[in-house]
């Protein structure tokens, strides 16, 4: 054990190992942060949520920070509502239970690209007489455009870009650019815009709540996908999923392989023979095809795939190399001594044989993690990702199937791909260094 | 010690037995080896067949699909709507029975598994259930043959380049290890933890999406160029990115492995001895380093040749390359068991033959190895 400790201390002499350790540490920290800040159920609800959860976000929006790198600025998204006071509504009671209401929202528009859309959501309650609102638009250069007059139903959405009457009245095909640009030059006008909503209710308890949603061209830290979902959630939650899959598969595979190799060499005879035959049969089985078949026919759950992966990865070439080393160790003096004083077979296998192999096990285990992390991503890219869990591979698959590369949504692929790459390289670098530390034969080379 | 203490008579007997029975030893070994390999193939393929229909679970899916499809098509056919309900029900049932017979669903799963197995072992690949080749044939053999050239082209070029370049570069690096290039290769070898399709996505992004110099995927433009020189040029253009991503994903690790391997062998005493004798470094390399590593290099090469067959499913999918790997993936999606089994059995046979041949190759290149010897 002391030798193991000094071996680990040697890690500090390898810069690549330090980088690798740092990456692994950061990943674990991210995973813990993800699980604490967004509990599992909440993450699933958000990831599986549709329009009703994500209506405030634009579609296919790159992250906001791309504005730092671009001389032309993209409009950022925001939303305000009367229910939490971010949009102020004034109600003045009138005669016979009627009331007039007015709300206005001023915001600065300093961007070079128009937003995707502007939407007003009205939630109102009334018994018979519908509330009435009219919406107006004030531009920085002093124009005042009447947008619409609405008799409200219980829930009503008004999408600026879809208003055909307004298109006719303004004689334009695209309302949003029209609202934000100079009518002469057609260039975007920067400055303070104002949205004015005035209306009236006609019953004593009638009430109107308003939400104003501004779908910009960019959103948040990570951008959004085809169903307006904030990519921060799958990016964060991808970390614990990838770590769990990679580590469990790698640990399960290498520990089980070692135990089976130890049992085979210790008992010899037909057990050893059987293990060797199974290894040869496993060589014939098409690994990826079987995983694809399980994913297509049976279950896409990540845990089923994980189990199948471990089962198929136990009986591989690794079992042969462990076996050849166990055969040497089996003949060594201390094993003979243990036998002489009557140690039982399980005791010898689990307390004397297997611990000798830990220096070999650790580098192999760490180096195998990236393969499994990428296996999960590969299956996801083939459309066989877990249907419930958000993973990095699933983001890539969503992006790929929505033609992200063709349509120029590079952020969508680059974000998960970078995270996968960092994870893979981190573990690989650590595993490489550990291999050199624990295998003296390689140390000088 | 054993040699010294052995009595002369024992030695004579031993020598006699080895010289007289080389033939029996080899032939016994060949028979036993062939039988075990065949048993391995049989069990491996049978397991694949079992998995390909999930112990009958896939049958249920296919039955439901057939019933659904036929009921729908008859309900949608206006000519059938005049029929009275009983006649229509009978018609539906007849059609379903006929379709199930066509798909072989009327035979119990256990029998069908053995039928698949025996057909596969005798290489009667049969007809696909749902897939057709581009020329319209349902023969599994034709479907596979049609896709084989694409896979062989992509995998052949990338894997052969990878193999020869990494052996060559590794030999060079091992000669002057510790220099800048050597350190670079060691430092870059963890990049091989990333699979080929992943590099593919980055390459597509850079060369197809941003620079717009190479195509996103596919094998030739549509419509393909008519003259054969342009066709070859066009093919090369489409081949570049997938082949590059396959090479890139294992390049540095492959060099690193061979280099380490050569280094371990070049620190042997007999190499030092040869150097001390003043042999030219080329001769030292060829006779004392390459020769003992030859069995391993040959093994690697042999397995490389087999992997050409399997194709690279995900890389082919990402690049829309019409190869065997992608066909297999499609076949799984369409529950097309004959194609899955056909592809598996050919791989299994190739593997078994290679493993069998390698034993003899070892004996040829390494005089210390005897076929069937202990």
């Amino acid at each position: 054990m002391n030798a193991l400790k000094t071996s680990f201390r040697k890690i500090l002499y390898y810069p690549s190992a330090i980088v690798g350790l740092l990456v692994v540490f950061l990943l674990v920290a991210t995973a813990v942060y993800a699980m604490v800040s967004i509990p599992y159920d909440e993450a699933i609800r958000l990831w599986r949520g549709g329009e009703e959860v994500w209506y405030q976000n634009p579609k296919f929006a790159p992250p906001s920070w791309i504005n730092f790198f671009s001389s032309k600025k993209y409009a950022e998204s925001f939303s305000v509502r009367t229910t939490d006071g971010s949009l102020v509504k004034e109600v003045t009671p009138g005669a016979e239970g009627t009331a007039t209401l007015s709300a206005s929202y001023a915001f600065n528009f300093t961007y070079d690209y128009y937003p995707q859309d502007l939407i007003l959501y009205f939630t109102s309650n009334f018994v018979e007489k519908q509330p009435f609102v009219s919406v107006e638009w004030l531009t920085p250069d002093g124009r005042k455009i009447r947008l619409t007059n609405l008799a409200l139903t219980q829930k009503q959405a008004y999408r600026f870009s879809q208003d055909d009457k307004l298109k006719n009245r303004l004689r334009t095909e695209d309302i949003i650019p029209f609202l934000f640009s100079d009518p002469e030059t057609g260039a975007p006008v920067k400055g303070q815009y104002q949205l004015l909503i005035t209306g009236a209710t006609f019953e004593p308890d009638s009430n109107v709540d308003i939400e104003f949603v501004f779908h910009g061209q960019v959103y948040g830290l990570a951008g959004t996908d085809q169903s307006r979902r904030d990519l921060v959630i799958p990016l964060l939650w991808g970390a614990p999923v990838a770590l769990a899959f990679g580590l469990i598969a790698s640990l399960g595979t290498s520990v089980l392989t070692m135990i089976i190799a130890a049992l085979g060499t210790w008992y010899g005879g037909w057990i050893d023979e059987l293990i060797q035959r199974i290894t040869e049969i496993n060589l014939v089985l098409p690994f990826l095809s079987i995983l694809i078949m399980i994913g297509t026919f049976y279950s896409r759950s990540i845990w089923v795939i994980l189990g199948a992966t471990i089962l198929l990865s136990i009986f591989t070439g690794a079992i042969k190399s462990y076996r050849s080393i166990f055969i040497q160790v089996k003949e060594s003096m201390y094993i003979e001594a243990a036998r002489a004083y009557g140690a039982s077979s399980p005791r010898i296998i689990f307390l004397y044989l297997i611990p000798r192999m830990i220096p070999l096990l650790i580098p192999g285990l760490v180096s195998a993690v990236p393969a499994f992390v990428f296996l999960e991503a590969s299956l996801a890219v083939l459309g066989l990702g877990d249907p419930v869990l958000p993973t990095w591979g699933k983001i890539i698959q969503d992006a790929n199937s929505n033609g992200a590369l063709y349509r120029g949504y590079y952020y969508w692929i680059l974000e998960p791909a970078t995270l996968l790459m960092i994870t893979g390289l981190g573990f690989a670098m650590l595993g490489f260094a550990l291999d050199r530390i624990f295998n003296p034969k390689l140390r000088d080379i | 010690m054993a040699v010294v203490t052995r009595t002369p008579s024992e030695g004579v007997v031993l020598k006699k037995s080895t010289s007289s029975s080389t033939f029996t030893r080899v032939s016994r070994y060949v028979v036993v080896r062939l039988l075990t390999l065949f048993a391995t193939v049989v069990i491996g393929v049978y397991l694949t067949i079992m998995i390909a229909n999930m112990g009958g679970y896939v049958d249920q899916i296919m039955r439901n699909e057939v019933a659904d499809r036929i009921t729908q098509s008859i309900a949608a056919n206006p000519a059938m709507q005049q029929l009275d309900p009983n006649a229509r029900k009978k018609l539906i049932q007849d059609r379903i029975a006929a379709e199930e017979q066509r798909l072989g669903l009327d035979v119990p799963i256990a029998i069908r598994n053995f039928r698949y197995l025996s057909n596969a072992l005798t290489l009667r690949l049969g007809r696909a259930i749902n897939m057709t080749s581009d020329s319209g044939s349902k023969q599994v053999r034709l479907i596979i043959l049609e896709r084989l050239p694409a896979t062989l082209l992509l995998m052949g070029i990338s894997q052969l380049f990878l193999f020869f370049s990494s052996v060559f570069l590794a030999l060079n690096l091992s000669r002057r290890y510790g220099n800048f290039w050597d350190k670079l290769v060691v430092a870059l070898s963890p990049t091989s933890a990333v699979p080929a399709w992943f590099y593919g996505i980055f390459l597509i992004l850079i060369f197809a999406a941003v620079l717009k110099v190479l195509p996103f995927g596919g094998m030739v433009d549509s419509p393909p160029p008519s003259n054969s020189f342009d066709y070859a040029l066009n093919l090369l253009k489409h081949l570049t990115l997938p082949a590059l991503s396959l090479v890139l994903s294992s390049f540095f690790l492959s060099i690193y492995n061979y280099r380490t391997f050569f280094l371990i062998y070049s620190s042997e005493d007999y190499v030092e001895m040869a150097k001390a004798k003043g042999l030219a470094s080329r001769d030292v390399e060829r006779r004392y380093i390459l020769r003992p590593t030859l069995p391993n290099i040959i093994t690697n090469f042999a397995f490389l040749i087999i992997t050409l067959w399997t194709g690279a499913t995900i890389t082919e999918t990402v690049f829309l390359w019409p190869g065997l790997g992608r066909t297999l993936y499609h076949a799984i999606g369409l529950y097309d068991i004959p194609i899955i089994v056909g592809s598996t059995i050919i791989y299994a046979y190739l593997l078994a033959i290679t493993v069998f041949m390698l034993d003899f190759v070892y004996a040829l290149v390494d005089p210390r190895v005897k076929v069937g010897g202990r």
Side-chain angles (χ1 to χ4, degrees):
Chain A
M1 277 299 119
N2 236 344
L4 212 62
K5 242 181 235 164
T6 43
S7 294
F8 274 118
R9 213 164 293 139
K10 282 194 195 112
I11 287 179
L12 298 179
Y13 298 117
Y14 290 84
S16 69
I18 296 173
V19 176
L21 262 182
L22 210 67
V23 168
V24 173
F25 177 76
L26 275 177
L27 267 174
V28 173
T30 315
V32 171
Y33 173 75
M35 289 192 287
V36 171
S37 66
I38 315 167
Y40 178 80
D41 291 332
E42 178 68 2
I44 301 299
R45 186 186 71 83
L46 291 173
W47 175 243
R48 312 265 291 151
E51 199 74 13
E52 73 287 352
V53 180
W54 294 112
Y55 66 94
Q56 292 166 352
N57 293 357
K59 278 185 186 178
F60 304 118
S64 321
W65 45 259
I66 63 159
N67 273 340
F68 283 117
F69 304 104
S70 163
S71 55
K72 292 196 157 192
K73 304 297 177 203
Y74 296 87
E76 283 183 41
S77 311
F78 66 85
S79 66
V80 287
R81 59 204 67 79
T82 52
T83 45
D84 64 5
S86 50
L87 178 62
V88 182
K89 175 181 74 170
E90 279 172 32
V91 182
T92 329
E96 295 168 38
T98 62
T100 57
L101 64 97
S102 77
S104 83
Y105 188 74
F107 61 95
N108 270 319
F109 180 86
T110 52
Y111 309 104
D112 301 288
Y113 294 104
Y114 305 114
Q116 287 186 1
D117 203 354
L118 309 179
I119 308 161
L120 278 169
Y121 292 95
F122 299 97
T123 316
S124 45
N125 55 331
F126 58 91
V127 183
E128 271 179 359
K129 297 173 186 160
Q130 291 176 305
F132 179 86
V133 291
S134 66
V135 185
E136 283 168 319
W137 182 251
L138 270 174
T139 62
D141 51 358
R143 287 175 296 141
K144 190 171 191 177
I145 301 168
R146 184 169 56 81
L147 296 176
T148 189
N149 296 324
L150 293 169
L152 298 179
T153 55
Q154 306 279 0
K155 269 186 176 297
Q156 187 153 358
Y158 172 68
R159 290 173 189 278
F160 289 29
S161 65
Q162 312 270 305
D163 188 346
D164 288 330
K165 272 188 203 158
L166 187 61
K167 277 183 195 169
N168 285 337
R169 189 146 47 80
L170 299 177
R171 294 200 187 84
T172 176
E173 267 308 301
D174 297 310
I175 292 176
I176 301 294
F178 185 90
L179 291 182
F180 283 95
S181 56
D182 192 302
E184 320 254 270
T185 61
V189 179
K190 296 178 186 179
Q192 198 182 52
Y193 286 82
Q194 204 172 2
L195 185 73
L196 292 172
I197 303 163
T198 49
T201 55
F202 306 104
E203 289 172 4
D205 290 325
S206 189
N207 182 36
V208 177
D209 278 318
I210 308 163
E211 179 167 13
F212 175 50
V213 173
F214 182 94
H215 282 173
Q217 296 284 5
V218 290
Y219 176 83
L221 277 177
T224 61
D225 65 2
Q226 84 280 13
S227 17
R228 307 183 188 280
R229 290 178 295 200
D230 186 352
L231 287 179
V232 166
I233 287 157
L235 286 176
L236 269 181
W237 257 88
V241 175
L243 272 184
F245 191 87
L247 285 175
I248 294 174
S250 163
L251 193 72
T253 306
S254 30
V255 169
L256 284 174
T257 304
M258 200 167 70
I259 290 175
I260 288 169
L263 289 175
T265 29
W266 184 253
Y267 290 108
W270 67 270
I271 299 181
D272 193 29
E273 194 63 22
L274 181 72
I275 292 170
Q276 300 232 52
R277 289 291 90 76
I278 294 177
T279 309
E280 278 181 13
I281 291 170
N282 196 29
L283 209 61
V284 174
L285 294 180
F287 176 72
L288 188 62
S289 299
I290 287 181
L291 286 188
I292 297 175
M293 283 189 245
I294 292 172
T296 317
F297 303 156
Y298 185 66
S299 162
R300 276 164 45 195
S301 156
I302 202 168
W303 307 115
V304 173
I305 300 281
L306 179 65
T309 307
I310 293 178
L311 272 183
L312 288 168
S313 313
I314 291 174
F315 294 97
T316 51
I319 221 167
K320 292 201 170 179
S321 51
Y322 279 130
R323 183 174 170 271
S324 61
I325 301 168
F326 272 128
I327 285 176
Q328 284 174 20
V329 178
K330 193 181 157 189
E331 305 299 329
S332 55
M333 294 302 270
Y334 78 101
I335 298 288
E336 211 161 304
R339 248 195 244 192
Y341 67 68
S344 65
S345 290
R347 187 180 169 84
I348 293 180
I349 293 172
F350 288 102
L351 293 181
Y352 304 149
L353 271 183
I354 290 180
R356 267 295 286 275
M357 303 294 261
I358 285 177
L360 255 177
L361 178 78
I362 291 171
L365 197 154
V366 175
S367 311
V369 172
F372 291 115
V373 170
F374 277 107
L375 178 70
E376 192 276 322
S378 306
L379 288 173
V381 167
L382 289 177
L384 301 170
D386 191 284
V388 181
L389 281 174
T391 67
W392 294 333
K394 277 202 73 96
I395 307 178
I396 296 183
Q397 197 249 334
D398 278 345
N400 231 359
S401 60
N402 282 289
L405 287 178
Y406 303 86
R407 294 157 75 178
Y409 308 138
Y410 303 138
Y411 71 97
W412 198 357
I413 283 199
L414 283 176
E415 285 168 3
T418 312
L419 285 176
L420 271 169
M421 193 95 148
I422 291 174
T423 309
L425 289 183
F427 276 102
M429 281 159 89
L430 186 61
F432 250 71
L434 287 176
D435 200 25
R436 288 161 149 261
I437 292 166
F438 285 112
N439 293 328
K441 215 174 176 185
L442 293 174
R443 194 172 302 152
D444 304 327
I445 294 172
Chain B
M1 290 301 272
V3 180
V4 180
T5 53
R6 190 192 288 146
T7 58
S9 67
E10 268 178 353
V12 170
V13 171
L14 199 77
K15 199 169 184 185
K16 209 173 166 186
S17 81
T18 45
S19 62
S20 71
S21 63
T22 303
F23 179 72
T24 37
R25 190 193 72 221
V26 171
S27 52
R28 174 144 42 85
Y29 173 78
V30 166
V31 171
V32 171
R33 191 72 186 141
L34 279 179
L35 280 179
T36 46
L37 281 175
F38 187 69
T40 310
V41 170
V42 170
I43 297 172
V45 173
Y46 189 72
L47 281 178
T48 311
I49 295 170
M50 287 291 287
I51 296 168
N53 51 42
M54 293 279 148
Y57 179 71
V58 172
D59 277 27
Q60 208 47 54
I61 303 176
M62 281 169 74
R63 273 210 187 90
N64 293 341
E65 208 178 62
V66 165
D68 225 44
R69 195 176 67 225
I70 286 173
T71 317
Q72 291 282 331
S73 80
I74 287 182
N77 188 341
M80 307 280 186
Q81 275 161 6
Q82 312 301 326
L83 285 171
D84 79 309
N86 278 332
R88 211 159 80 183
K89 213 170 179 178
K90 182 155 184 329
L91 184 77
I92 290 176
Q93 270 162 6
D94 285 350
R95 288 261 181 103
I96 290 177
E99 180 69 7
E100 285 187 353
Q101 197 181 3
R102 182 182 82 81
L103 299 173
L105 287 174
D106 53 336
V107 184
I109 185 85
I111 299 174
R112 205 139 36 89
N113 279 349
F114 278 103
R115 203 183 281 167
Y116 279 133
L117 181 66
S118 68
N119 281 344
L121 291 175
T122 49
L123 283 179
R124 279 176 298 181
L125 301 181
R127 292 165 65 81
I129 295 175
N130 290 314
M131 284 185 89
T132 48
S133 70
D134 289 343
S135 54
S137 169
K138 271 189 140 26
Q139 293 283 328
V140 173
R141 191 173 55 85
L142 290 180
I143 295 177
I144 288 179
L145 278 181
E146 197 177 71
R147 304 299 164 89
L148 191 58
T151 284
L152 284 185
L153 184 70
L154 173 62
M155 296 295 284
I157 286 185
S158 57
Q159 299 303 310
L160 290 180
F161 174 78
L162 195 62
F163 175 79
F164 288 111
S165 64
S166 50
V167 169
F168 178 75
L169 290 174
L171 209 56
N172 269 319
L173 285 184
S174 74
R175 208 178 290 148
R176 41 190 110 101
Y177 94 91
N179 74 357
F180 169 73
W181 296 107
D182 187 48
K183 283 187 178 139
L184 188 72
V185 165
V186 175
L188 284 178
S189 50
T191 54
S192 298
V194 179
W197 63 266
F198 203 76
Y199 283 108
I201 286 182
F202 280 101
L203 290 178
I204 292 179
L205 202 161
I206 296 168
F207 291 102
V210 176
L211 298 178
K212 297 186 170 58
V213 286
L214 289 166
F216 279 91
M219 200 166 142
V220 283
D221 280 341
S222 144
S226 49
N227 96 41
S228 57
F229 178 75
D230 285 348
Y231 188 90
L233 215 60
N234 198 271
L235 194 64
L236 195 68
K237 221 167 124 185
H238 285 79
L239 183 69
T240 312
L241 288 188
L244 189 64
S245 62
L246 283 169
V247 170
L248 212 58
S249 77
S250 25
F251 192 59
F252 294 107
L253 187 65
S254 180
I255 298 181
Y256 173 81
N257 282 340
Y258 279 118
R259 156 203 173 276
T260 311
F261 189 62
F262 289 141
L263 278 178
I264 288 172
Y265 273 84
S266 53
S267 58
E268 295 279 353
D269 291 340
Y270 55 79
V271 179
E272 299 295 328
M273 160 84 173
K275 278 181 191 160
K277 274 200 300 190
L279 283 180
S281 65
R282 279 189 74 87
D283 288 336
V284 175
E285 236 160 50
R286 217 179 51 230
R287 277 193 252 157
Y288 295 92
I289 300 176
L290 271 184
R291 186 98 194 266
T293 54
L294 205 53
N296 291 67
I297 295 179
I298 290 175
T299 313
N300 284 350
F301 187 73
F303 281 104
L304 180 148
I305 297 293
I306 311 176
T307 56
L308 298 190
W309 170 260
T310 56
T313 305
I314 307 168
T315 310
E316 284 176 5
T317 309
V318 167
F319 282 100
L320 307 174
W321 188 264
L324 274 179
R326 200 155 76 97
T327 306
L328 188 61
Y329 168 60
H330 278 302
I332 294 170
L334 293 167
Y335 310 115
D336 218 322
I337 296 172
I339 293 183
I340 302 170
V341 175
S343 153
T344 309
I345 183 71
I346 293 175
Y347 177 70
Y349 273 146
L350 284 177
L351 194 69
I353 294 167
T354 312
V355 168
F356 178 71
M357 302 275 276
L358 277 178
D359 282 334
F360 291 91
V361 175
Y362 291 156
L364 278 181
V365 298
D366 190 343
R368 292 169 301 182
V369 175
K370 258 193 288 182
V371 171
R374 285 275 151 190

